[in-house]
Structure formats: C-alpha cells, structure tokens
Amino acid sequence: MLAARDAEHPKAACALLTSRRYGRYLSTDAAGRPHLDSGKIAHAARFDGKFVVITNDDTLSTEDVALGYKGGTIIEACFRRMKQTGLEVRPMYHWSPRRIEAHVRLCVLALQIQRSAELRCGLPWARIAHILAGLKAVRYQIAGRTIVQRTKISPEAAEILKNLGISKPKKLLTVIEPPQAKAAS
C-alpha cells in the first residue's frame, strides 16, 4: 500500500489518519488520501450525549454507578488542578501505610480549602493567593524593642478575608521588650 502512494503524499494526511481525535472518522481512497467516512460518523453519532460506564456490581442502580464515575472524574480533575494551580505539595516519601494515608488526607483537605475559597470569593486560587501574599508580618527593632506588625490590608485582601469569614489580623501583633527593661521593672 505504501509503494502505491504518490511521492506527494503529505505527512499531514498520515497525521490525520493516526490522530486519536480525527482518525476514527476518516478512511482512505485508492490513492491513500484521507476523506471523511459518513458511515463512521453516523456510527459515532449514535453515542453523542451518552455517558457509557461499566460495572461488575449488579446491586448498584444506574444512577449510583453514574454518580460514582462522575465523582471519580471530579477527584481526578482536582488532583490535576492541585498539580497545576501552585498549591505547593512537595514530594513526600512515606513507608508506613498510616503516614501515607495521613499525607493523602492532608493533601485532599488542602485542596478542599482551596476550592472552598475559590467558591466563596468567586476568584481563581492563583488570584486569591497573589492578593493575600501582599499581607505580611514585618519585624523591626526600635530602641531595643522588637515589634511585629502587619502590613496594610488592601481593599481586595479585605474583601477576600470578609468572604472567607476570617477576621482582619490586629495591626500590632507583638512587642518584645529588651532584656534589661524586664529586669529593671
């Protein structure tokens, strides 16, 4: 078949024929050129809008099986988002089942908190994290005293804190007196 093809046969045609997306709808003519196969298109159209699942548990209802599959796809999508959104989960190497389970639970909890924040604020997590990153605690020393104070809260950060039900942190977080001042008093 390859010898019968013209030398002008483009690589793009081969790419289309082997494509997972388009190849199932194409056939080739005698010259090896791709064309849309109406029979394949009609066969695929029979499944449009249908959600096909397989189970070996006969006790489950159709709705339960569909909900289980949809729940699984939601969890998979969450794990994909967790890897893409900047939620920093560094590699952990656990050997005991108890620690592995605890690590997975913490990761899922962090993801739930992130998703809850997105829903309450109506903003993507990257934007929420960027806005809240501007809120910092600053430590400085004056006359031997160490003072820890928060930075100014922007209107956007205040709105996010309000939506999340988190009270604004105090402006002055702590004051540490110098050691000689404590001894004198």
Side-chain angles (χ1 to χ4, degrees), residues 111-175:
L111 183 63
Q112 285 178 326
I113 291 170
Q114 175 184 327
R115 185 66 181 134
S116 175
E118 287 178 336
L119 292 173
R120 286 184 177 196
C121 296
L123 295 170
W125 175 252
R127 183 75 180 134
I128 294 170
H130 177 72
I131 292 169
L132 291 181
L135 186 59
K136 298 185 186 316
V138 179
R139 179 183 308 248
Y140 57 95
Q141 292 185 336
I142 294 179
R145 290 183 176 153
T146 301
I147 299 172
V148 180
Q149 182 177 340
R150 70 161 166 80
T151 57
K152 184 178 177 185
I153 298 175
S154 70
E156 287 179 309
E159 184 66 25
I160 287 173
L161 292 173
K162 179 182 167 194
N163 289 340
L164 296 176
I166 299 171
S167 59
K168 291 181 186 177
K170 300 182 297 185
K171 179 133 176 100
L172 189 61
L173 299 172
T174 187
V175 176

Side-chain angles (χ1 to χ4, degrees), residues 9-21:
H9 184 71
K11 289 183 181 180
C14 289
L16 275 175
L17 288 169
T18 58
S19 166
R20 291 183 62 196
R21 185 174 192 183

